[in-house]
Amino acid sequence: DTGVSQNPRHKITKRGQNVTFRCDPISEHNRLYWYRQTLGQGPEFLTYFQNEAQLEKSRLLSDRFSAERPKGSFSTLEIQRTEQGDSAMYLCASSLNAGRRSLYEQYFGPGTRLTVT
Amino acid sequence: SQQGEEDPQALSIQEGENATMNCSYKTSINNLQWYRQNSGRGLVHLILIRSNEREKHSGRLRVTLDTSKKSSSLLITASRAADTASYFCATGAPNFGNEKLTFGTGTRLTIIP
């Protein structure tokens, strides 16, 4: 399977704990995106990377959130001091942006469902 | 924040019927995309229409775009039970090189066998 993968698929944590999620994009895709989706809503953009560079961050991404893509391949999203409001599905997507070979379609992973108790 | 809204929020139809859902958005766009999401899973890309296109087809899917009204519609013909899912429209920002997507609130489609 060469699609986008995310780990873990589910995470239950207590309020105040730190959590880290991982996303492995499609191998030739140079762009990687993080979205958050709460129940009954569409995904909301959090941040994205072009290779290892983080190009944009949403104001939804408070200082408790940090994302990295150190080698331009996989990415991690860390949430420190989790709060109950952080409970959501965290989705990762990737796309190819390379001039004429650019594809605007984003390919999503299955998501990591976070529950903060 | 959500860019737009899908209408209706929920739709139930008999298998074999056509399903139409609409999307409205607020700002200028480069492209508009439709995605499907099965319960509790990731999103699957269905179709993309660029801002200079008015209609596009892909299999049983037909998408229209009216940039003057800032609206789009997705038609699924000859619906099947497997089409049961939530459908989201997503708009791409107008600036070249910025492909972050802004999603609508979704339409929950149920196909009754």
Side-chain angles (χ1 to χ4, degrees), chain A residues 9 31 33 35 37 40-45 48 56 59-60 89 91 97 104-106 108-111 113, chain B residues 1-2 30-31 33 35 37 40-43 45 48 50 88 96-106:
Chain A
R9 295 290 306 277
R31 289 213 167 177
Y33 309 78
Y35 293 85
Q37 185 179 25
Q41 298 295 314
E44 293 180 292
F45 170 80
Y48 83 95
E56 187 171 345
R59 55 185 170 80
L60 293 174
M89 174 80 86
L91 295 163
N97 179 278
Y104 292 104
E105 297 87 342
Q106 294 184 17
F108 282 79
R113 183 170 295 283
Chain B
S1 63
Q2 307 285 176
N30 175 285
N31 63 81
Q33 304 179 38
Y35 287 81
Q37 185 176 38
R41 298 191 177 183
L43 285 84
H45 181 268
L48 178 151
R50 299 182 189 278
F88 295 92
F96 176 77
N98 181 353
E99 282 82 49
K100 78 174 185 182
L101 295 175
T102 306
F103 285 83
T105 52

Side-chain angles (χ1 to χ4, degrees), chain A residues 20-52:
Chain A
T20 299
F21 311 140
R22 176 176 170 129
C23 170
D24 287 88
I26 294 172
S27 59
E28 64 267 28
H29 286 183
N30 54 357
R31 289 213 167 177
L32 186 149
Y33 309 78
W34 285 99
Y35 293 85
R36 182 174 70 186
Q37 185 179 25
T38 53
L39 197 62
Q41 298 295 314
E44 293 180 292
F45 170 80
L46 292 179
T47 188
Y48 83 95
F49 294 83
Q50 167 118 348
N51 300 313
E52 66 275 8

Side-chain angles (χ1 to χ4, degrees), chain B residues 83-99:
Chain B
D83 294 330
T84 293
S86 291
Y87 291 81
F88 295 92
C89 69
T91 52
N95 304 318
F96 176 77
N98 181 353
E99 282 82 49

Side-chain angles (χ1 to χ4, degrees), chain A residues 36-82:
Chain A
R36 182 174 70 186
Q37 185 179 25
T38 53
L39 197 62
Q41 298 295 314
E44 293 180 292
F45 170 80
L46 292 179
T47 188
Y48 83 95
F49 294 83
Q50 167 118 348
N51 300 313
E52 66 275 8
Q54 189 172 18
L55 297 186
E56 187 171 345
K57 294 193 294 185
S58 163
R59 55 185 170 80
L60 293 174
L61 213 65
S62 75
D63 56 5
R64 297 185 297 105
F65 289 70
S66 62
E68 294 182 344
R69 194 182 184 199
K71 298 182 180 179
S73 56
F74 73 91
S75 175
T76 58
L77 177 67
E78 181 183 16
I79 309 174
Q80 296 182 327
R81 305 182 302 282
T82 53

Side-chain angles (χ1 to χ4, degrees), chain B residues 61-75:
Chain B
L61 306 180
R62 172 178 169 256
V63 169
T64 63
L65 178 64
D66 186 336
T67 53
S68 66
K69 295 181 179 178
K70 292 187 168 57
S71 67
S72 174
S73 68
L74 171 68
L75 168 67

